[in-house]
Amino acid sequence: MYAIVQLKIATKVGKVIVNKTILVVEDDLNTNEVISIFLREKGYTVESFDNGEKAYEFISMNKAIDLIIVDIMLPGMDGIELLTKVRSFSQVSTNHCFNSNGR
């Protein structure tokens, strides 16, 4: 289950116009790596974390993040708590994407 927080990513015909930073927060290391590799191959700068606490620390110190892809079901600070905390200091819009079985 993932939630996506998006701050308009500028692209032109599938190519990145300006280097954008995407945060991947996923505790399954294989999934984290696949998503990160895919995004890097598309030209994005990717920062990846396996828990909400580390991601929050990074986000709070690096406000120039263009997209956050976060697993909702993380150990410790879950994805919803992470997004709630991010919203306390950021005006990013949020969109939630759930898998087909609603988990």
Side-chain angles (χ1 to χ4, degrees):
M1 179 179 336
Y2 297 92
I4 298 176
V5 178
Q6 186 171 4
L7 294 174
K8 302 175 187 173
I9 298 212
T11 60
K12 180 178 182 181
V13 192
K15 295 189 179 191
V16 178
I17 295 172
V18 178
N19 193 13
K20 298 292 182 176
T21 300
I22 299 177
L23 217 67
V24 176
V25 188
E26 167 59 68
D27 60 323
D28 180 87
L29 299 181
N30 290 329
T31 303
N32 190 319
E33 185 174 357
V34 167
I35 294 169
S36 297
I37 289 170
F38 174 80
L39 293 170
R40 284 186 186 107
E41 287 177 353
K42 297 295 180 186
Y44 296 102
T45 298
V46 178
E47 298 291 341
S48 64
F49 297 92
D50 62 1
N51 68 62
E53 290 85 1
K54 291 178 190 173
Y56 179 74
E57 183 179 327
F58 181 85
I59 296 165
S60 64
M61 299 179 76
N62 299 279
K63 308 243 182 344
I65 297 165
D66 301 290
L67 177 71
I68 302 171
I69 301 173
V70 58
D71 183 353
I72 295 298
M73 298 173 64
L74 294 167
M77 182 189 304
D78 66 28
I80 297 296
E81 183 180 355
L82 172 61
L83 295 178
T84 300
K85 287 185 172 194
V86 169
R87 294 287 287 160
S88 72
F89 62 84
S90 175
Q91 295 301 312
V92 298
S93 61
T94 61
N95 297 303
H96 300 276
C97 301
F98 298 95
N99 64 12
S100 61
N101 63 9
R103 291 183 168 180

